[in-house]
Amino acid sequence: MCLIPNFSLPLHSKCAKPHISDIMKIKDILGALEEFAPLALQDGYDNAGLQIGLAEDAEATGVLLSLDVTEEVVNEAVLRGCNLIVSHHPLMFHPVKAFTGKTHVERAILKAIKNDIAVYAAHTNLDVAYGGVNFKIAEKLGLQNVELLSEKDSYVSGGKTLMAGDGIIASLPSSVSKREFMEQVKEAFRLKSLRVNCANPKTIKRVALAGGAGASLIPQAIEKGADVFITGEIGYHRFFGYEKDILLLEVGHYESEQYTIEVLRDIITRFAPSLHVCKAETNINPIKYL
């Protein structure tokens, strides 16, 4: 059984100005991130890690945190005096064969390089790490007795051997009705609506979840006795066939991972409490609901 780490540092849009004694090299900040979520934990298809920047000797002037890296986010980093962007989703997820500025990815890369902005991504390694993305979601929902839904690998962090895994399963303090639970989810994720299947459990007590696109974990959630499974993306066809087994809630990819920035901020500010660390105000959901 895993307990949710006590992350108590608040997340503010305003930035704490750096203190001279806390200025450090970018590589030290990346080391703290990788101590928490080693790159070896990432999935084989992923591209987490340092994507832009010569981090060996560069001193960090500030860190901008974002789910995605866009031109606007790079511009914001320049304006706010941050020469390191730490994102959840990699800017370069697929191979880039040319730098002509024709795509939004190419333009963001060129802008970061021209302005000496280092770009780093903590993606699936942060998803599966102990205390990572899914643990933060569980905290926001007030879940207890958190366990990994699907264990993967053990790793060492902070001198301790921990277990990494996909998704989590946990319990509410007390059983609630389907309607009450859905309202709790909408409030926690700041939603106006949910996509749900036709399952109609009498009450909700056991909750399984995975940030992002976690629909592949539905069978494990059923096997472990979850009443409901929450994820960012399920997909049309996967809504079929589970009506008698489990309630499915799709909250949106961005919405499910919005609190990842808090995880990243906690890691960095505990390592360097007075470092200039900001949440990107230009990081917005590309999907609009009309």
Side-chain angles (χ1 to χ4, degrees), residues 238-257:
R238 278 186 162 140
F239 271 99
F240 287 104
Y242 296 112
E243 297 84 3
K244 296 181 180 180
D245 300 312
I246 194 168
L247 177 65
L248 302 178
L249 301 185
E250 183 184 80
V251 300
H253 198 117
Y254 175 95
E255 290 84 353
S256 73
E257 295 182 333

Side-chain angles (χ1 to χ4, degrees), residues 41 45 51 112 174 181 189 195 203 217-219 234 241 248 257:
L41 296 178
Y45 64 81
Q51 299 197 322
S174 59
F181 181 72
F189 289 100
R195 287 160 61 96
T203 59
L217 294 169
I218 294 172
I234 292 176
L248 302 178
E257 295 182 333

Side-chain angles (χ1 to χ4, degrees), residues 121-264:
H123 191 212
T124 53
N125 54 316
L126 190 63
D127 287 332
V128 302
Y130 175 83
V133 176
N134 297 315
F135 284 79
K136 178 58 71 174
I137 297 172
E139 178 186 317
K140 294 296 181 180
L141 289 171
L143 302 180
Q144 302 174 344
N145 302 318
V146 181
E147 300 176 5
L148 294 171
L149 186 57
S150 177
E151 293 185 351
K152 294 184 69 173
D153 303 297
S154 62
Y155 66 102
V156 177
S157 176
K160 297 180 180 180
T161 300
L162 304 173
M163 181 62 67
D166 291 315
I168 60 95
I169 184 165
S171 299
L172 290 165
S174 59
S175 297
V176 298
S177 68
K178 172 183 172 181
R179 173 55 59 184
E180 184 178 353
F181 181 72
M182 290 193 298
E183 290 302 321
Q184 289 178 10
V185 171
K186 287 167 66 176
E187 182 178 358
F189 289 100
R190 304 166 187 167
L191 306 174
K192 293 183 178 180
S193 63
L194 283 169
R195 287 160 61 96
V196 306
N197 70 344
C198 296
N200 193 29
K202 292 181 180 179
T203 59
I204 302 292
K205 176 71 172 179
R206 293 280 282 168
V207 179
L209 61 85
S216 63
L217 294 169
I218 294 172
Q220 288 94 319
I222 295 170
E223 181 181 346
K224 292 202 172 184
D227 301 307
V228 59
F229 179 76
I230 307 168
T231 192
E233 294 182 50
I234 292 176
Y236 176 81
H237 294 287
R238 278 186 162 140
F239 271 99
F240 287 104
Y242 296 112
E243 297 84 3
K244 296 181 180 180
D245 300 312
I246 194 168
L247 177 65
L248 302 178
L249 301 185
E250 183 184 80
V251 300
H253 198 117
Y254 175 95
E255 290 84 353
S256 73
E257 295 182 333
Q258 62 187 286
Y259 299 115
T260 301
I261 291 174
E262 293 187 21
V263 180
L264 293 169

Side-chain angles (χ1 to χ4, degrees), residues 12-109:
H12 300 294
S13 60
K14 295 182 179 180
C15 305
K17 295 299 181 182
H19 188 278
I20 190 66
S21 64
D22 290 303
I23 293 177
M24 63 185 62
K25 293 185 177 181
I26 288 176
K27 68 176 182 179
D28 296 325
I29 300 168
L30 305 189
L33 289 165
E34 291 175 15
E35 173 73 14
F36 184 92
L39 292 178
L41 296 178
Q42 70 179 302
D43 289 332
Y45 64 81
D46 202 4
N47 192 31
L50 182 65
Q51 299 197 322
I52 298 174
L54 303 175
E56 283 301 308
D57 297 315
E59 288 188 342
T61 61
V63 184
L64 188 68
L65 305 176
S66 180
L67 276 185
D68 302 282
V69 182
T70 63
E71 293 176 81
E72 292 78 14
V73 169
V74 178
N75 283 335
E76 184 177 350
V78 175
L79 291 172
R80 302 180 81 166
C82 299
N83 66 347
L84 171 61
I85 296 172
V86 177
S87 68
H88 185 43
H89 298 135
L91 171 59
M92 289 180 278
F93 193 78
H94 303 289
V96 179
K97 297 183 179 181
F99 294 93
T100 61
K102 290 184 178 180
T103 70
H104 70 281
V105 171
E106 291 174 22
R107 291 191 293 272
I109 293 169

